[in-house]
Amino acid sequence: MPKIIRRPRSPTERTQRAAEWARWFTGDRSITAYRRELAQLTGLGADLAWELVSDLAPLLVERVPAQLGAQALLATVTLVAAQPKPREAGWALLATVTEELTPAHARTVLETLALGWQASSTALTSTQRRQAIERELRCVIRRLAAGGGAGLDALSAVVAVLGTSERGDDSAILESTEGPYREHGREEMAQPPQTGAGRAEVER
């Protein structure tokens, strides 16, 4: 399993980011909550449902509430399934979201993944489902980029490469997370979630 690489930050920056992250991500983040949520979402047994996302789960467990994170994990697995190295592609995507974006933008992108996974449930083929999630993701990145913000260029590069799966070229995915870091930019216009908020579709 790839090692989680944390973006270098000063102690003050880490403290500020942790406080901001906690403001935007409230709820049960435990592995138990994730296993329960995944089983409910997929209709599978807890062990089998967990196996679907176990490679990527360390990026979100204990950081993102299970009601949102479980769906985002399922969406990511779907999105990268056609990649030659799906695990590496999934890690590149979620690591960029959790380490490079502001917490506000990270929540917006994770909600988009979750909602994309829900909305694509009626797609006839896995390719159509992947394309539907990708369209939603590209749309929200364009909207966020219009207002500026840290890490959006890196995220855009990762998503652009995900669309090249038919060519079997994912080498640029890992490179896309190595660009310069920018810390300044406007927050997404959404408001932090209120305590006790429900699933992703009512959290937006």
Side-chain angles (χ1 to χ4, degrees):
M1 179 179 295
K3 179 181 179 182
I4 299 178
I5 300 176
R6 302 298 188 197
R7 184 196 184 285
R9 291 185 172 91
S10 70
T12 299
E13 288 177 322
R14 287 197 298 271
T15 299
Q16 291 174 343
R17 183 173 175 84
E20 187 71 2
W21 191 272
R23 188 167 73 94
W24 283 92
F25 294 92
T26 59
D28 193 342
R29 313 171 188 185
S30 68
I31 190 171
T32 300
Y34 269 82
R35 288 171 63 89
R36 181 173 60 247
E37 192 72 16
L38 287 162
Q40 182 175 341
L41 290 168
T42 63
L44 301 172
D47 290 341
L48 186 55
W50 175 255
E51 187 65 25
L52 294 174
V53 302
S54 59
D55 284 343
L56 302 178
L59 286 160
L60 301 188
V61 171
E62 302 299 344
R63 298 196 69 192
V64 176
Q67 286 191 338
L68 172 59
Q71 294 180 79
L73 286 171
L74 290 170
T76 302
V77 168
T78 303
L79 188 61
V80 303
Q83 291 291 318
K85 297 180 180 179
R87 182 177 63 177
E88 286 78 358
W91 270 71
L93 175 62
L94 292 180
T96 301
V97 172
T98 57
E99 292 299 318
E100 300 304 317
L101 302 187
T102 65
H105 286 178
R107 184 175 182 92
T108 298
V109 171
L110 291 173
E111 286 182 340
T112 298
L113 284 169
L115 292 167
W117 184 79
Q118 295 172 21
S120 67
S121 62
T122 58
L124 298 179
T125 68
S126 59
T127 297
Q128 290 174 334
R129 189 163 203 185
R130 175 181 61 78
Q131 291 172 340
I133 295 172
E134 183 182 330
R135 282 195 300 271
E136 293 295 323
L137 195 53
R138 288 177 183 273
C139 181
V140 78
I141 291 172
R142 286 195 299 270
R143 190 176 82 242
L144 295 178
L152 290 169
D153 53 346
L155 180 60
S156 181
V158 172
V159 175
V161 176
L162 292 179
T164 69
S165 58
E166 292 80 2
R167 300 199 299 268
D169 177 16
D170 66 65
S171 59
I173 293 179
L174 301 181
E175 297 173 3
S176 67
T177 62
E178 298 174 358
Y181 301 112
R182 294 204 300 267
E183 284 298 315
H184 302 291
R186 294 192 300 172
E187 295 287 291
E188 167 66 342
M189 286 75 74
Q191 297 299 313
Q194 301 300 312
T195 303
R199 294 184 182 277
E201 61 264 34
V202 298
E203 291 175 330
R204 286 182 62 82

